[in-house]
Amino acid sequence: MAMSRLDEVGERDGWRCWVCDEAVDPEMSVNDGRGPSIDSLATRPKKKARSPDGGPEERLAHRDCNTRKGAVAAIVPWPDRLFVVEPAPIIATVERLQRKGGREVVARCPTLVDGQEAAIWLVDRISRLRPGLAVTADVEPGGGQFLLVLRA
Ligand SMILES: [Zn+2]
């Protein structure tokens, strides 16, 4: 029997929701809010065929996380356990870096260790959010705090 499109996307994304980064149960009903669904990124402006890195246009999401459901753009949350001040919106930052490359300050952290923890989390998160995009995160002193700097 051929795999369904949902199974294909689910397998490829490791049954993990691209928005909230939590596991999606392939056995759960697609009508359940926590059940699996395909999020089509075609809702984003000027993204027709594929993203610039040739990455997937369809992603696995929980039904409730699926961006097609509402007018509001998806928000990838920063975890509460990290100490980040004025963190940048992750998806918008990643899209800019993907288009233009370069360097962006994405947050300020009170201590070097806070910055390092946030840097590790962010690079790992982006590796699943946009698998084709290679990024590095560095922590640089600035203004009496530490700046979390993302480069692509
Ligand atoms: Zn989710």
Side-chain angles (χ1 to χ4, degrees), residues 74-90:
I75 292 173
V76 169
W78 291 77
D80 291 338
R81 65 178 174 81
L82 296 177
F83 291 99
V84 287
V85 181
E86 294 172 7
I90 292 173

Side-chain angles (χ1 to χ4, degrees), residues 57-75:
E57 190 196 351
E58 292 177 319
R59 303 297 302 268
L60 182 74
H62 294 111
R63 184 180 162 85
D64 280 352
C65 293
N66 194 316
T67 55
R68 274 181 309 186
K69 289 190 54 177
V72 189
I75 292 173

